[in-house]
């Protein structure tokens, strides 16, 4: 009986080692993925940008100025992104799903404030707001039309219904 168990274990370990070797060989033979022609360097840091929205800290001192700064980053990303709407929605959803209940609630508060600020920055006459937030050297104006990729983030978070 002991001998049969030992033979079985040797056989199982041999199979596992062979499988790992095949997997390693398969990985090394694959070509490295290359970004599409419209990919933006900012897209690689998408989750980092989403995480940065926590810096707003709704209800705290200076939160409106931080919301302007984050909205500027978001708008700059939105006009340069090469990501499609489905990818934006999927990555946003995955990012939010990693949070627990209380953190998600707080994050949605940050997003709500960010959404209002983003929409405000799409209107004319926001130069003094940008200047007070230290963002006077931005690409303002971004235009009066909502940006589809940005809208996808807020829609995925349940803040916009289209």
């Amino acid at each position: 009986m002991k001998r049969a168990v030992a033979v079985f274990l040797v056989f199982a370990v041999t199979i596992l080692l062979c499988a790992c070797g095949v997997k390693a060989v398969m990985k090394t033979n694959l070509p490295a993925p290359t970004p599409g022609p419209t990919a933006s360097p900012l897209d690689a840091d998408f989750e980092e940008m989403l995480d940065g929205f926590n810096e707003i800290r709704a209800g705290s001192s200076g939160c409106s100025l931080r919301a302007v700064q984050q909205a500027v980053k978001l708008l700059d990303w939105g006009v340069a992104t090469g990501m499609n709407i489905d990818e934006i929605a999927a990555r946003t959803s995955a990012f939010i799903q990693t949070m627990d209940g209380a953190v998600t609630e707080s994050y949605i508060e940050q997003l709500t404030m960010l959404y209002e600020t983003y929409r405000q920055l799409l209107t004319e006459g926001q130069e003094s707001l940008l200047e007070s937030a230290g963002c006077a050297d931005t690409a303002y104006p971004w235009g009066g039309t909502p940006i589809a990729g940005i809208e996808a983030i807020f829609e995925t978070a349940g803040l916009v219904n289209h």
Side-chain angles (χ1 to χ4, degrees), residues 81-154:
T81 187
M83 294 172 61
N84 66 45
I85 303 302
D86 292 334
E87 183 182 2
I88 293 168
R91 289 175 70 179
T92 301
S93 179
F95 179 82
I96 292 172
Q97 287 177 1
T98 62
M99 301 174 185
D100 66 19
V103 174
T104 303
E105 268 184 55
S106 174
Y107 188 74
I108 297 301
E109 285 180 42
Q110 314 315 314
L111 284 182
T112 301
M113 187 169 204
L114 180 63
Y115 180 70
E116 293 166 0
T117 305
Y118 146 75
R119 293 302 291 233
Q120 182 179 1
L121 290 177
L122 290 177
T123 63
E124 293 181 23
Q126 302 303 316
E127 293 88 356
S128 63
L129 177 62
L130 289 165
E131 189 175 319
S132 67
C135 300
D137 61 343
T138 64
Y140 180 79
W142 292 275
T145 307
I147 299 169
I150 295 174
E151 294 290 316
I153 293 170
F154 295 118

Side-chain angles (χ1 to χ4, degrees), residues 47-80:
E47 286 79 7
E48 186 177 313
M49 180 184 68
L50 292 176
D51 190 43
F53 300 158
N54 275 318
E55 293 176 14
I56 297 170
R57 292 182 221 103
S60 67
S61 175
C63 64
S64 60
L65 296 179
R66 285 189 295 275
V68 171
Q69 294 165 349
Q70 291 298 320
V72 166
K73 289 179 187 177
L74 180 64
L75 281 157
D76 287 345
W77 169 84
V79 297

